[in-house]
Amino acid sequence: MRTYLVTGGAGFIGSNYIHYMFKKYGDEIRIINVDALTYAGNPENLREVEKRPNYTFVKADICDREAIEKIFAENDIDRVVHFAAESHVDRSIVYPEVFVQTNVLGTAVMLNCAKKAWEQPDGTYLPGKRFLHVSTDEVYGSLEEDGGYFYETTPYAPHSPYSASKAGADMLVKSYMDTYHFPANITNCSNNYGPYQFPEKLIPLIINNALQGKKLPVYGDGKNVRDWLYVEDHAKAIDMVQEQGRLFETYNVGGHNEKQNIEIIKIIIETLQEMLPADDPRKALVSEDLITYVEDRKGHDRRYAIAPDKIKAEIGWYPETMFKEGIKKTIAWYFEHEDWMKNVTSGDYQKYYSEMYKI
Ligand code: NAD
Ligand code: TYD
């Protein structure tokens, strides 16, 4: 039985990954989820799996070396899947240091503890051990509106404190592979959407605001482009890279689904109108009149677009969920989880929202 140590599993992508893995492997695997439960980590995301005998939750900070060493000492970990990070660009612009702390230092701690647990006296590693570092396409910087794609060979050019800290973490992983021959992979993925995404990010924020008839904030001219991938496709890619990918390689993961932010917002409005029953009072609230242009994000990257050619050619992964279908599934999930949204938007979220959006 393989044992996975997942970091940040109570967040958006981590929790989707854990659900995906239990759906796929059932009792054949064991998962230990280590998460500090910051504002972005939510134990509710894992209610369905928390009673499984092959699932364990450990509340700890990845910067806490002793806590991480203890997990490695007490368990024979075969796979690390490292999601834990501060992940929101807007917050990184206000509080850059916490991004450096968690994303860079936390990754260093994870690498060092895994190396210590897996390295043999002759400098080789226990067979079958693998570390996967989950990263972002934002490390590659920004593309011109009409120009090109991000490949694994694209030079790093991060612009925000978030992407700079992720780039720093990626470089540390690369250095461990080059210096110590440490058995790792890196995946650089485009923007994800789907269930359990915290409503500080564009898609759940727009769904939540639209359903309440609140303004829909669009940064700048609304024409920035992101390449959206349904989160389950990302979870699948991570598993495929760990099982079939060549060690020491980086794989880009992307949706082949470039859209301007304003297009995304209009699709959400249209889909909400289609999906809400005629007698639902929210139907009258959802309208393009809510769209409100606000001040642009500082250093706002214009366009991201991934070329997932390598992962397709070597591993056979491709994005399976078309955006039209993925956005319907996402909206349906938010309809069915009104309490989840209420819980995460109470308290601190209100303060965040009013400081961030003066509308
Ligand atoms: P998220 O913010 O939803 O979740 C992050 C999780 O990490 C939370 O559960 C949080 O409690 C935990 N965490 C934060 N600091 C921690 C610490 N110091 N110690 C332990 N746990 C801590 O993020 P997400 O959107 O699920 O992203 C997960 C990973 O995927 C990140 O590394 C991110 O850079 C990467 N990524 C995200 C996207 C995206 O579109 N969301 C795209 C590509 C890559
Ligand atoms: P976001 O979901 O924060 O992801 P990222 O910045 O990592 O790509 O934002 C996606 C895009 O949407 C980005 O170009 C910024 C824009 N955006 C808005 O226009 N309004 C908003 O309220 C938010 C949160 C984002």
Side-chain angles (χ1 to χ4, degrees):
M1 188 192 254
R2 277 201 300 272
T3 299
Y4 287 75
L5 177 58
V6 173
T7 72
F12 163 48
I13 307 177
S15 58
N16 277 285
Y17 170 79
I18 290 174
H19 289 300
Y20 173 83
M21 292 298 278
F22 280 136
K23 242 186 271 158
K24 177 162 180 196
Y25 295 105
D27 295 335
E28 286 167 31
I29 57 165
R30 211 177 131 222
I31 296 182
I32 301 167
N33 171 20
V34 57
D35 196 299
L37 298 181
T38 68
Y39 79 90
N42 186 350
E44 266 190 65
N45 298 359
L46 294 156
R47 281 282 174 263
E48 280 168 42
V49 304
E50 68 187 4
K51 293 214 168 66
R52 292 187 76 102
N54 55 344
Y55 172 76
T56 309
F57 177 72
V58 180
K59 184 174 183 311
D61 189 321
I62 54 163
C63 300
D64 179 348
R65 186 162 46 82
E66 270 177 36
I68 303 299
E69 268 177 355
K70 187 163 179 277
I71 299 173
F72 276 99
E74 291 175 354
N75 301 279
D76 182 13
I77 306 291
D78 300 298
R79 303 273 189 274
V80 173
V81 184
H82 177 37
F83 294 97
E86 287 291 334
S87 69
H88 191 36
V89 173
D90 291 326
R91 289 186 195 251
S92 83
I93 294 167
V94 187
Y95 305 107
E97 284 176 11
V98 62
F99 283 71
V100 177
Q101 174 81 14
T102 288
N103 299 1
V104 184
L105 186 63
T107 299
V109 170
M110 289 308 304
L111 287 165
N112 220 29
C113 292
K115 176 175 174 287
K116 209 171 134 188
W118 293 346
E119 197 174 23
Q120 306 186 91
D122 66 357
T124 63
Y125 291 85
L126 291 168
K129 307 292 185 189
R130 294 180 82 130
F131 187 109
L132 190 140
H133 173 63
V134 181
S135 191
T136 164
D137 60 357
E138 305 192 23
V139 296
Y140 297 123
S142 182
L143 294 163
E144 296 298 324
E145 254 150 51
D146 54 355
Y149 294 93
F150 296 137
Y151 291 88
E152 289 79 0
T153 49
T154 303
Y156 276 28
H159 296 126
S160 71
Y162 163 65
S163 53
S165 65
K166 291 296 290 187
D170 292 15
M171 290 301 167
L172 274 173
V173 180
K174 284 176 202 273
S175 79
Y176 267 63
M177 296 194 279
D178 293 346
T179 307
Y180 308 114
H181 223 57
F182 179 74
N185 288 102
I186 299 172
T187 52
N188 292 93
C189 187
S190 62
N191 286 61
N192 284 212
Y193 69 99
Y196 304 108
Q197 188 167 29
F198 192 77
E200 64 186 354
K201 305 281 166 60
L202 181 70
I203 288 183
L205 187 144
I206 296 299
I207 295 172
N208 186 41
N209 280 18
L211 287 171
Q212 296 177 66
K214 285 192 186 155
K215 289 180 178 168
L216 309 177
V218 186
Y219 299 166
D221 64 3
K223 292 186 178 155
N224 298 66
V225 171
R226 298 292 182 263
D227 175 4
W228 295 94
L229 179 70
Y230 191 63
V231 63
E232 200 170 288
D233 283 338
H234 187 188
K236 184 174 181 182
I238 288 169
D239 181 42
M240 288 176 83
V241 167
Q242 253 197 341
E243 297 320 310
Q244 300 163 49
R246 283 182 297 138
L247 267 180
F248 315 116
E249 292 292 318
T250 289
Y251 292 92
N252 279 356
V253 184
H256 267 318
N257 179 48
E258 285 181 59
K259 294 217 174 346
Q260 292 183 340
N261 295 335
I262 191 68
E263 284 180 73
I264 292 286
I265 293 170
K266 288 184 178 168
I267 292 171
I268 292 173
I269 293 169
E270 204 182 287
T271 314
L272 283 171
Q273 280 294 354
E274 252 173 60
M275 290 175 72
L276 282 166
D279 58 353
D280 192 309
R282 294 173 298 180
K283 208 172 169 88
L285 301 175
V286 176
S287 137
E288 287 195 9
D289 296 343
L290 300 172
I291 292 174
T292 307
Y293 287 86
V294 299
E295 194 185 327
D296 207 357
R297 174 185 280 173
K298 289 186 175 76
H300 197 175
D301 286 337
R302 192 63 176 168
R303 174 173 163 252
Y304 302 143
I306 280 276
D309 304 15
K310 178 174 169 182
I311 190 170
K312 188 167 181 208
E314 286 191 14
I315 297 177
W317 177 90
Y318 60 94
E320 280 174 48
T321 314
M322 294 292 104
F323 190 72
K324 222 176 155 28
E325 179 199 342
I327 198 70
K328 275 196 183 147
K329 283 210 258 189
T330 304
I331 290 174
W333 187 88
Y334 284 103
F335 279 166
E336 285 156 22
H337 294 80
E338 274 186 70
D339 285 349
W340 182 95
M341 188 58 99
K342 271 195 197 123
N343 291 344
V344 300
T345 53
S346 64
D348 283 353
Y349 181 82
Q350 296 301 329
K351 188 164 169 275
Y352 162 79
Y353 194 89
S354 59
E355 279 171 10
M356 176 69 210
Y357 298 95
K358 293 176 180 66
I359 51 172

